[in-house]
Amino acid sequence: MAHVKLSSSEGSAEILPLGGERLLIGRSRDCDLVLPDVLLSRRHAELYRTARGWLVRDLGSMNGTRVNGERIESERVLFDGDVVAVAGWRLAYFEAEAEKDDAFRTDHEARIHDITSLATKSGLDLGDLTRQGRLLGVLTRAAGAIVTSTSADGLLDTLLTHLLDAIPAQRAAVALLENDPPVPMVVAARPGEGAAPATIDRGVAQRVLGGRSALLAPRVPAEDDTVRAVICAPLWFTGPGEGSDRVVGLVYLDAPAEPTPFATEHLGLVSAVVNLAASRLESVRLRQETAEKRRLEEDLRGAARIQASLLPEEEPSIEGWDIGGSSQVCSAVGADYYDFTVERGELLLAIGDVAGKGLAAALLMAALRAAVRALWAEEETLPRLTERINENLLQTLPPNRYATLVLARLQPATGELRYVNAGHSAPVLVRADGRAERLEQGGTILGALPGIAWEEGRATLAPGDTLVGLSDGVVEAPGGGLTAEGVADEVGRTGGRGASEVLAALQSAADAALDRHRNDDDHTFVVLRRL
């Protein structure tokens, strides 16, 4: 049975027989071999058996896995005597069975607990104890300050303050990855002496990001033509899911290179503090995102209430006519619009839509409504009113937006209907005998081009006729929507019932016709029935 000899620079060796199929190494409790080392990733590396023998694979660790001193990128076959190094630990691989394995045994079913005994070094002198005590104190103070930080800016400032107190560095900075492709951009900096760093050396950043490990470089040219010693460590976010670990930034410290101020223990201390800060930064970010989401949801609820108030509160009451309208939005707010009122004995009717969805489209819908309301009662022809509405929208809508609109006037006594269709889904006039006519006369969309003219269309509603205005979300969908014939069928099924019954039947038919696409867009209907 093959085995490995586990050792660290701080203590004696132990024997681990490789009796199972896999040995997962890291500092997470779900690993087979749990090692108490802040330089280890949660799931750092694994040894596993194949037909070719035992292989070692790095699991995307921050500080890397080395075999015989050479860092591996993915996996490598192990040969007798190879030494696998992870952080401060070494695993010497031997193909033969260990001479003594009763000191430390495991198999595939048994888990290896923390190897804390190997971190105990005999013969420590007073200087070692004093230095370790100081580093422990730094870690304790930094941890206490970092975990109590409640904002990202405050956390980064606290991180840099404690690092400059603990490390003989002259300057410190934090850079986060921004843009596409990602580039480290300095978001916080502290000068111990002189000016704070405005950038991070490109070569240093590439080494740290490419290797996903902390770096101590004794001599790096700086932007002020000096040579500096540099410590740089990655900000490493660790999530619960597979593949969620990612580097999001860098922490950088430097000082004059002569004499070299940094030691290996400083690199370990920086890595430990940065790992803690990265975890806390992720928690703060998630909390801020949650708060922002709640605020946005409340804003949307408020916008929805305001938008609902823009639609008619009640239908006009006109003898011999039944009128109704409804709008069903696909999100919190919608881009559809309908309106009607009575002026000088005429019924004024509008149904429209603004291109797009969401809050921006809802705001532009309010602009469309305001433009119509400001003009539609004036004693001008409908084509001229449409031109003036277009002029208004050209000043309101951004270049990539437009609106569609049906604007109509009805003489209730005679049933005469005058209308302009500006690029909107054609209203359907369903005759008493079931025939369907589409009201398409008019012209192009609104808010796109200046100097456009529209034509007026005319129709007459006889007793028993029903006019149905509808939005493009009802008729345009992948796989089809509600057709003019479908509208006529639903109106016919309702018999002589009122507008509210027709609206309910039309919405039900639209849901069935659109199927799984019924929530892709807003659904708006206006029903005008002559009794």
Side-chain angles (χ1 to χ4, degrees):
M1 180 189 302
H3 70 280
V4 293
K5 181 181 290 186
L6 174 70
S7 62
S8 78
S9 59
E10 303 295 330
S12 58
E14 295 287 353
I15 303 298
L16 284 70
L18 296 175
E21 298 297 321
R22 179 175 183 253
L23 182 70
L24 180 61
I25 305 165
R27 56 184 172 84
S28 172
R29 288 288 173 178
D30 63 359
C31 291
D32 301 308
L33 179 58
V34 183
L35 299 175
D37 194 322
V38 294
L39 298 181
L40 280 173
S41 298
R42 292 187 313 115
R43 296 162 62 90
H44 194 105
E46 65 175 351
L47 275 62
Y48 64 100
R49 189 199 306 269
T50 69
R52 294 183 291 165
W54 281 89
L55 278 72
V56 60
R57 175 191 293 145
D58 184 81
L59 300 178
S61 64
M62 181 175 67
N63 290 314
T65 301
R66 289 170 171 79
V67 176
N68 301 331
E70 179 182 348
R71 181 162 181 163
I72 63 174
E73 295 301 325
S74 55
E75 63 183 22
R76 177 168 167 174
V77 177
L78 291 175
F79 297 99
D80 192 51
D82 282 349
V83 176
V84 178
V86 290
W89 302 84
R90 294 183 300 278
L91 293 92
Y93 169 78
F94 299 100
E95 294 180 348
E97 186 170 352
E99 295 181 3
K100 289 184 61 178
D101 62 358
D102 55 345
F104 196 96
R105 296 190 57 89
T106 185
D107 54 32
H108 187 62
E109 288 75 24
R111 300 178 64 81
I112 301 174
H113 297 288
D114 293 7
I115 317 299
T116 52
S117 60
L118 297 186
T120 305
K121 180 179 178 181
S122 59
L124 284 174
D125 59 27
L126 184 59
D128 291 332
L129 291 173
T130 301
R131 184 174 66 256
Q132 290 190 7
R134 181 180 64 81
L135 294 179
L136 181 60
V138 169
L139 279 172
T140 302
R141 290 191 298 274
I146 287 171
V147 299
T148 56
S149 299
T150 57
S151 69
D153 292 341
L155 188 150
L156 296 180
D157 186 67
T158 297
L159 170 65
L160 296 181
T161 298
H162 280 82
L163 287 177
L164 286 175
D165 287 344
I167 305 296
Q170 191 178 78
R171 309 184 305 169
V174 176
L176 298 181
L177 297 182
E178 299 179 0
N179 303 324
D180 187 17
V183 177
M185 305 292 291
V186 173
V187 296
R190 288 289 299 272
E193 299 177 23
T199 60
I200 293 177
D201 179 80
R202 183 176 179 181
V204 170
Q206 288 178 342
R207 285 278 302 276
V208 173
L209 294 174
R212 295 190 170 189
S213 60
L215 171 70
L216 195 165
R219 296 181 64 83
V220 176
E223 71 276 3
D224 58 359
D225 296 326
T226 61
V227 178
R228 295 182 175 273
V230 169
I231 288 180
C232 190
L235 272 169
W236 188 278
F237 282 179
T238 302
E242 197 71 26
S244 58
D245 291 358
R246 66 193 189 281
V247 175
V248 297
L250 305 168
V251 175
Y252 170 92
L253 300 101
D254 70 15
E258 300 293 346
T260 299
F262 301 139
T264 304
E265 66 182 22
H266 296 138
L267 184 66
L269 178 62
V270 170
S271 295
V273 174
V274 169
N275 284 344
L276 178 64
S279 177
R280 180 59 181 169
L281 186 62
E282 178 75 341
S283 298
V284 170
R285 184 187 67 82
L286 291 175
R287 187 171 65 249
Q288 289 175 340
E289 284 184 356
T290 301
E292 179 66 17
K293 182 180 179 182
R294 286 198 297 267
R295 186 194 65 78
L296 180 59
E297 289 174 348
E298 181 56 36
D299 287 348
L300 286 174
R301 284 193 291 269
R305 289 192 294 269
I306 293 172
Q307 189 178 51
S309 70
L310 299 179
L311 299 177
E313 294 184 4
E314 57 184 19
E315 292 77 16
S317 177
I318 302 176
E319 185 178 355
W321 295 84
D322 196 5
I323 305 167
S326 69
S327 186
Q328 179 176 296
V329 298
C330 64
S331 59
V333 290
D336 284 1
Y337 147 72
Y338 74 91
D339 201 359
F340 27 58
T341 189
V342 176
E343 292 284 345
R344 298 183 299 276
E346 290 183 326
L347 174 67
L348 306 182
L349 172 68
I351 180 169
D353 188 10
V354 174
K357 299 180 180 66
L359 192 56
L363 292 172
L364 296 177
M365 183 276 274
L368 173 62
R369 176 187 183 273
V372 173
R373 280 255 170 170
L375 298 171
W376 70 348
E378 296 189 9
E379 296 187 46
E380 290 193 79
T381 65
L382 289 179
R384 177 55 189 153
L385 289 180
T386 305
E387 291 172 16
R388 293 178 63 186
I389 293 170
N390 183 57
E391 292 167 2
N392 186 299
L393 293 181
L394 283 170
Q395 303 175 32
T396 304
L397 301 183
N400 62 339
R401 299 279 186 162
Y402 63 89
T404 64
L405 177 70
V406 173
L407 193 62
R409 285 175 175 164
L410 173 73
Q411 294 289 342
T414 64
E416 181 187 21
L417 180 78
R418 300 187 179 193
Y419 71 91
V420 169
N421 186 338
H424 196 77
S425 299
V428 180
L429 177 54
V430 183
R431 298 299 184 179
D433 60 6
R435 290 179 294 113
E437 301 174 11
R438 292 166 55 87
L439 305 188
E440 299 176 315
Q441 195 75 19
T444 190
I445 57 177
L446 301 172
L449 298 170
I452 302 297
W454 284 264
E455 298 179 357
E456 184 178 84
R458 296 189 181 188
T460 300
L461 275 72
D465 290 349
T466 302
L467 178 67
V468 177
L470 65 175
S471 62
D472 61 356
V474 176
V475 297
E476 298 175 6
L482 193 59
T483 64
E485 292 72 19
V487 170
D489 289 344
E490 294 305 318
V491 171
R493 288 192 184 97
T494 61
R497 284 176 285 178
S500 59
E501 287 82 359
V502 175
L503 287 172
L506 290 171
Q507 184 61 66
S508 178
D511 289 344
L514 297 171
D515 193 23
R516 60 189 178 89
H517 298 287
R518 60 181 178 273
N519 294 322
D520 290 355
D521 203 351
D522 304 334
H523 299 171
T524 299
F525 292 99
V526 170
V527 172
L528 179 62
R529 167 168 270 186
R530 188 170 187 181
L531 304 178

